[in-house]
Amino acid sequence: IIQHETGRHPDDVYADCPNTAPLSETDVAVPIADCRVDGCDIPIALASGAWFSPDATPTVRWRRRRLRAEYYARDRVQNSQGDTKACNLPSTTVTALHADWYVCGDRERITRLLVDVTHIGGKRGGGLGLVHGWEIEPTALEWWFAGPGGRLMRTLPYCGNLPPLSDLREGTLRVPYWHPRSRCLCAVPVQRLGEPI
């Protein structure tokens, strides 16, 4: 998103912006609308979390951990020695036919951005989280906040009462998600695998 919107690599965009800089100095325009809620001075993106289809199942994928000599400050790495061994590492994943997000924003710009999103998830660098395609469908409901029956669909700042089917965790509310000033105590919705929205 950052590279698409700014024309520069993320490392270049944030090169002169330390973690201690104010959140306003780290802002990158994204095609998602923001709103404010009582008790929180950070604008919140109008986007839900990802919700897996009811067929979702927990799986384990294996990713290769290979060695690089520069990581060990040696001329040569002995592959048979302890922590320098090359190995396969298990990664907990979820396999699903689809995942749903609900977003309020510029549809044309979001569509252009999604073309470049081929993997999602924490281990996408290991080849996991493959996306086969994207579909965008309009909806009149404000799903970014609550789904059927008022169910929480996105991370919101914790205001003293925890909605049902959610956990209390540290979370972030908007881009840039890495910035410490965007982190706060949040009510995070939890979906059990196989549970429909």
Side-chain angles (χ1 to χ4, degrees), residues 15-186:
D16 300 324
C17 183
N19 283 354
T20 55
L23 187 60
S24 58
E25 293 180 16
T26 64
D27 198 20
V28 173
V30 294
I32 298 174
D34 289 332
C35 73
R36 297 217 179 243
V37 296
D38 294 337
C40 183
D41 56 351
I42 299 173
I44 298 174
L46 296 180
S48 77
W51 291 85
F52 294 115
S53 54
D55 65 310
T57 56
T59 55
V60 174
R61 300 281 177 92
W62 295 87
R63 57 190 175 87
R64 184 76 176 157
R65 175 182 177 264
R66 59 189 191 120
L67 304 176
R68 296 177 184 269
E70 60 269 22
Y71 291 166
Y72 301 98
R74 303 178 198 165
D75 294 333
R76 187 175 64 190
V77 173
Q78 297 291 334
N79 292 359
S80 61
Q81 291 181 352
D83 62 344
T84 62
K85 286 184 177 179
C87 58
N88 289 326
L89 298 176
S91 293
T92 303
T93 58
V94 174
T95 301
L97 288 177
H98 63 86
D100 295 324
W101 283 268
Y102 298 91
V103 178
C104 179
D106 186 325
R107 181 175 180 170
E108 183 180 329
R109 289 174 63 200
I110 290 172
T111 303
R112 283 200 319 263
L113 286 174
L114 289 177
V115 171
D116 295 327
V117 180
T118 57
H119 291 76
I120 56 173
K123 300 296 181 187
R124 59 190 178 278
L128 306 179
L130 178 64
V131 175
H132 291 287
W134 294 97
E135 293 180 14
I136 298 179
E137 299 177 5
T139 178
L141 298 175
E142 297 181 352
W143 285 86
W144 57 81
F145 180 75
R151 167 99 186 250
L152 190 64
M153 297 288 287
R154 64 144 301 120
T155 298
L156 289 176
Y158 177 66
C159 298
N161 56 345
L162 196 61
L165 302 173
S166 62
D167 283 349
L168 187 61
R169 302 179 191 170
E170 185 180 32
T172 55
L173 302 171
R174 69 183 308 273
V175 173
Y177 292 103
W178 58 268
H179 198 277
R181 302 235 177 145
S182 68
R183 294 190 198 117
C184 63
L185 203 56
C186 295

